Amino acid sequence: MSTTVTQDNAALADPAGVDELRRLLQRYYEGKNHLRRGLCLLASGQHDQAIRAFTAAEEANPDSLILPTYLAAAYLSAGRLKQAADEFERVANREPANVLHRVRHALALWKDGQVERAVASLREGISHDLESAELHFQLATILAAEGETEEAELRFTQAITLDKQHAEALVGLALCHGAQGNAREAVRLLKRAQSQNPHDARTALLLTHALQAAEETSDRPVRVTMPAETSTEDEAALDELASFIEANPDFVEAFLSLDTRELNAEVFAMLAVTINRALERAPEHADLHYHCGCLLSRLGRTEHAIAAVERAVGLRPKFIKALIQLAKLYQQSNRQLDARRRLEEAIRCGGEYADVYYLLGNLYRDGGMIDRAREAYQRALGINPRYADAQHALQAVMA
């Protein structure tokens, strides 16, 4: 696996980082779904449709990063490459044989436009560690990008010789062969790479193009490796996210505020699992129980949602948001009396909001309590005179 330049998770408490994390998680799961669909299409020989799916996966997740890298990317500060390169250089000089420090230094230099220094740094690293597949791979990548394809091919080959599981080196070498018109060799290498790294949409897309270039018919099925539902890296990242949510429970509000069409159910399910992990460490955290209930509601698991929000109210009896949410869940479950009592309780605790009075008026009306319904609608309009739904409901009960 290649090494990317990252920073410590110092921006966890940054509100802007929360928005970025939400955006990245959304893109991660969009890309994952497109990738799996594309692999199914490729396996059945539908190359053109597979290309469209892989392209959509790349657009959602340009680097095909797995979840932990997404989490790291959410905390990166932008545009400080020179300072990063200077710091990595000091670290690399202290530990010249450390591959990770050397690669970070070279990548920071390269991204800052200092190509010759980046190449020189990697060559120096190789002089300290001739058997490092990663150093050969990173040097090959920069050389290939700069048009030095002959040495790049040799370096990619050396990386694969040293590490037969290095999927990205296989991709790099395949691209070199593709550039020389050797499509069949590119196909062979890309098949190996896809089996090594089934999460990578780019590899799958390149394989599809290579198959077409090699003139393999679309009717011929292709054996591909499907990505696992979860990985060790995903598990570690979920633990990290659980710690973050435990400290910042309002983070979940950013997801709950989204229209359902903007995220698929897998994102909400992942967050529900993450909140449960956080609750294992903080079982008395009322906010987490409340947010867990809201997520379960979005997933259509009403009874489980009720249990979670009831737990939140049990821990904090005057939790107004939880009381209102519990009333809505009761109403969905045809527990009208329970719903009414929870809204009355929310109002007594200070939740005198127009929409609460409106919802309560509806429950009174449905229960045949017309006078109380009229009073509730009037209270709603007293708070918000332009509340159209309350106006219409009041007119109806007055009639």
Side-chain angles (χ1 to χ4, degrees):
M1 180 181 295
S2 66
T3 308
T4 57
V5 181
T6 62
Q7 293 178 332
D8 292 335
N9 299 343
L12 278 173
D14 181 6
V18 172
D19 290 338
E20 177 71 357
L21 181 55
R22 177 182 69 173
R23 183 181 67 81
L24 292 174
L25 285 171
Q26 178 179 353
R27 287 173 50 200
Y28 168 74
Y29 280 102
E30 287 177 356
K32 184 176 180 181
N33 288 340
H34 287 304
L35 170 62
R36 297 184 72 84
R37 180 173 179 272
L39 289 172
C40 290
L41 291 166
L42 176 60
S44 62
Q46 301 179 63
H47 293 170
D48 290 337
Q49 290 176 278
I51 287 174
R52 287 194 288 272
F54 293 139
T55 301
E58 278 209 292
E59 289 174 354
N61 176 3
D63 299 314
S64 293
L65 301 177
I66 54 177
L67 184 54
T69 313
Y70 260 75
L71 292 172
Y75 313 137
L76 279 173
S77 298
R80 301 185 63 183
L81 297 173
K82 184 180 185 304
Q83 294 90 329
D86 291 342
E87 179 62 27
F88 290 138
E89 183 175 23
R90 285 191 287 271
V91 175
N93 287 338
R94 286 198 301 268
E95 300 181 51
N98 188 302
V99 173
L100 177 61
H101 297 332
R102 180 66 58 185
V103 169
R104 284 177 169 174
H105 175 226
L107 290 179
L109 288 169
W110 185 34
K111 289 174 187 264
D112 194 40
Q114 302 182 60
V115 178
E116 291 183 2
R117 289 189 63 199
V119 169
S121 179
L122 289 170
R123 291 193 192 282
E124 182 179 350
I126 291 172
S127 71
H128 291 284
D129 187 356
L130 293 173
E131 303 299 310
S132 172
E134 189 62 29
L135 289 175
H136 286 285
F137 164 73
Q138 295 292 349
L139 178 55
T141 300
I142 294 177
L143 291 170
E146 298 301 319
E148 301 290 337
T149 55
E150 185 174 345
E151 184 181 355
E153 182 177 342
L154 293 173
R155 295 290 181 178
F156 282 130
T157 302
Q158 182 67 10
I160 296 166
T161 301
L162 293 167
D163 180 5
K164 292 180 173 56
Q165 309 299 316
H166 204 306
E168 290 172 288
L170 287 165
V171 171
L173 185 56
L175 290 174
C176 289
H177 282 288
Q180 297 166 9
N182 190 356
R184 292 192 179 278
E185 180 62 14
V187 167
R188 186 186 69 81
L189 292 165
L190 287 167
K191 283 181 177 179
R192 283 180 59 190
Q194 195 279 325
S195 67
Q196 297 293 343
N197 190 7
H199 290 277
D200 192 346
R202 175 173 173 266
T203 300
L205 178 59
L206 290 172
L207 173 57
T208 308
H209 283 307
L211 286 165
Q212 291 183 325
E215 298 181 349
E216 296 199 12
T217 65
S218 60
D219 295 331
R220 184 181 303 175
V222 180
R223 181 177 296 178
V224 297
T225 303
M226 298 300 291
E229 289 294 334
T230 59
S231 65
T232 303
E233 292 89 350
D234 286 336
E235 291 294 320
L238 287 175
D239 284 336
E240 183 179 355
L241 185 57
S243 299
F244 175 62
I245 289 177
E246 181 183 348
N248 304 271
D250 289 340
F251 162 74
V252 184
E253 295 281 4
F255 283 87
L256 295 176
S257 66
L258 292 174
D259 188 281
T260 306
R261 293 167 296 182
E262 295 186 50
L263 289 173
N264 57 47
E266 188 177 5
V267 177
F268 292 112
M270 180 274 294
L271 283 172
V273 170
T274 305
I275 290 178
N276 281 325
R277 292 191 182 203
L279 283 169
E280 290 175 2
R281 295 195 290 264
E284 304 303 309
H285 201 313
D287 287 285
L288 288 176
H289 286 287
Y290 164 71
H291 288 309
C292 185
C294 292
L295 283 167
L296 290 170
S297 177
R298 291 289 288 265
L299 291 167
R301 298 165 59 185
T302 305
E303 292 304 316
H304 290 91
I306 288 173
V309 182
E310 282 179 340
R311 178 61 175 158
V313 172
L315 291 167
R316 193 193 306 169
K318 294 184 178 182
F319 194 165
I320 295 172
K321 287 198 298 185
L323 289 167
I324 296 169
Q325 178 67 15
L326 195 52
K328 293 177 180 178
L329 291 169
Y330 284 148
Q331 189 176 20
Q332 293 172 17
S333 303
N334 295 317
R335 296 170 60 177
Q336 309 301 325
L337 179 59
D338 289 331
R340 194 171 71 221
R341 287 174 175 170
R342 287 302 190 184
L343 288 178
E344 290 170 343
E345 194 175 348
I347 290 171
R348 287 195 299 271
C349 292
E352 297 190 67
Y353 309 125
D355 57 342
V356 173
Y357 276 113
Y358 169 70
L359 293 173
L360 184 57
N362 290 343
L363 290 168
Y364 285 144
R365 178 200 61 201
D366 295 343
M369 307 166 69
I370 303 303
D371 289 340
R372 298 188 72 174
R374 182 174 61 250
E375 180 183 352
Y377 293 139
Q378 289 171 339
R379 289 286 190 98
L381 289 168
I383 297 169
N384 181 6
R386 298 182 179 180
Y387 199 157
D389 288 342
Q391 290 174 348
H392 296 153
L394 179 60
Q395 291 169 3
V397 296
M398 291 293 286

